[in-house]
Amino acid sequence: MAQPTILIVDDEKDIIDLIEIYLRNEGYRLLRAANGLEALSVLEKEDVDLIVLDIMMPKMDGIEACLKIRESRNMPIIMLSAKSQDMDKILGLGTGADDYMTKPFNPLELIARIKSQLRRYTRLNVTAPSREHEIEVDDLTINTATHEVKLDGREIKLTPREFAILELLARNRGTVWSIERIYETVWKETYLDSDNTVMVHIRKIREKIEDNPRKPRFIKTVWGVGYKVE
């Protein structure tokens, strides 16, 4: 796993040097900036996982820098300030910072907060699995890529024909499909009036996905017309 990169923005070199000792002991990569303008320049060239941002700095202070950063980036920002008044904290957090520490601070506490923010950021930004192949009908999920059907998270075993019928109706939710149309779409054969194959398959699907097959929740019968998923 790549080292997390931390950008420290402070015009006091001694503070950055102190933080660096603790960060390197934890395996972090450190980048430096002496003011907000330098921080923005660093962000144009480097991928940064978290920013420790002092408020009182020349050229561009931390408040303005935070506002600029938040226009395009969402990594965690921990504000540092010699001011301890509540309004200063509110102002810092109000500009988009995720946490606030008052100088002088315990470096071990700063490291703990950095770890906490990185965990939270990583958890919230884990790439969600693609759901483009999923059809959802309430608590019923049909995955057309894996041919899996789950009801409230529990896997339901369907035969290929049963799956094809369920997918057809769910994909066209609200549309009534006649027995003839279902048969010719799924079996790709000409339907015969005496054939009750579709009805048998519908009954089996209901037995597997319905709490009460006699009062179906998913596959509804439209009398004299056909079936639909609402």
Side-chain angles (χ1 to χ4, degrees):
M1 183 179 294
Q3 289 177 299
T5 299
I6 312 298
L7 172 60
I8 308 295
V9 189
D10 199 309
D11 60 331
E12 296 184 59
K13 182 177 179 298
D14 291 345
I15 288 182
I16 297 184
D17 290 342
L18 176 63
I19 296 173
E20 180 176 13
I21 294 171
Y22 287 87
L23 287 177
R24 294 203 184 283
N25 284 340
E26 295 293 335
Y28 295 127
R29 175 173 173 252
L30 177 70
L31 298 174
R32 296 168 173 246
N35 56 64
L37 288 176
E38 287 187 17
L40 295 177
S41 178
V42 170
L43 290 172
E44 291 297 322
K45 305 168 188 173
E46 300 276 358
D47 291 327
V48 173
D49 298 295
L50 181 143
I51 301 173
V52 178
L53 182 62
D54 186 35
I55 290 181
M56 301 299 291
M57 295 181 295
K59 297 184 180 179
M60 181 185 286
D61 65 24
I63 297 297
E64 187 178 353
C66 188
L67 289 169
K68 289 284 187 184
I69 292 167
R70 283 292 180 247
E71 289 177 2
S72 58
R73 295 173 174 84
N74 68 340
M75 76 282 283
I77 296 175
I78 299 176
M79 284 282 199
L80 296 180
S81 177
K83 297 181 178 181
S84 60
Q85 287 84 359
D86 288 342
M87 284 308 299
D88 293 316
K89 295 181 181 180
I90 292 170
L91 179 60
L93 296 172
T95 59
D98 299 278
D99 202 353
Y100 187 107
M101 289 193 68
T102 303
K103 296 179 180 178
F105 56 85
N106 184 329
L108 291 176
E109 182 183 353
L110 176 60
I111 297 300
R113 294 195 186 200
I114 287 173
K115 289 181 178 179
S116 175
Q117 289 295 332
L118 285 174
R119 281 196 301 269
R120 179 176 175 273
Y121 179 72
T122 301
R123 185 171 65 250
L124 292 177
N125 288 274
V126 171
T127 303
S130 172
R131 307 189 72 181
E132 61 179 311
H133 300 296
E134 290 186 357
I135 304 170
E136 292 188 350
V137 182
D138 297 331
D139 53 352
L140 182 71
T141 303
I142 303 157
N143 191 310
T144 60
T146 61
H147 275 233
E148 291 179 322
V149 175
K150 291 185 178 180
L151 179 61
D152 197 22
R154 176 174 55 88
E155 187 172 357
I156 304 295
K157 296 292 186 182
L158 298 182
T159 67
R161 298 286 195 203
E162 291 168 356
F163 183 92
I165 293 171
L166 181 60
E167 178 190 351
L168 176 68
L169 295 176
R171 190 181 292 279
N172 298 277
R173 193 170 177 176
T175 300
V176 181
W177 285 69
S178 66
I179 292 176
E180 177 181 354
R181 194 176 173 202
I182 292 173
Y183 185 89
E184 293 185 348
T185 301
V186 173
W187 275 264
K188 303 188 186 307
E189 298 175 0
T190 302
Y191 175 74
L192 301 176
D193 286 341
S194 59
D195 197 328
N196 65 351
T197 302
V198 171
M199 296 174 63
V200 171
H201 279 73
I202 293 288
R203 187 182 74 243
K204 290 181 177 178
I205 296 170
R206 282 173 169 166
E207 289 172 353
K208 295 177 180 180
I209 69 171
E210 302 285 1
D211 295 330
N212 183 353
R214 294 181 178 276
K215 296 181 179 179
R217 184 159 60 100
F218 298 109
I219 300 180
K220 303 284 189 177
T221 299
V222 181
W223 295 107
V225 184
Y227 301 97
K228 70 174 180 177
V229 165
E230 290 186 331

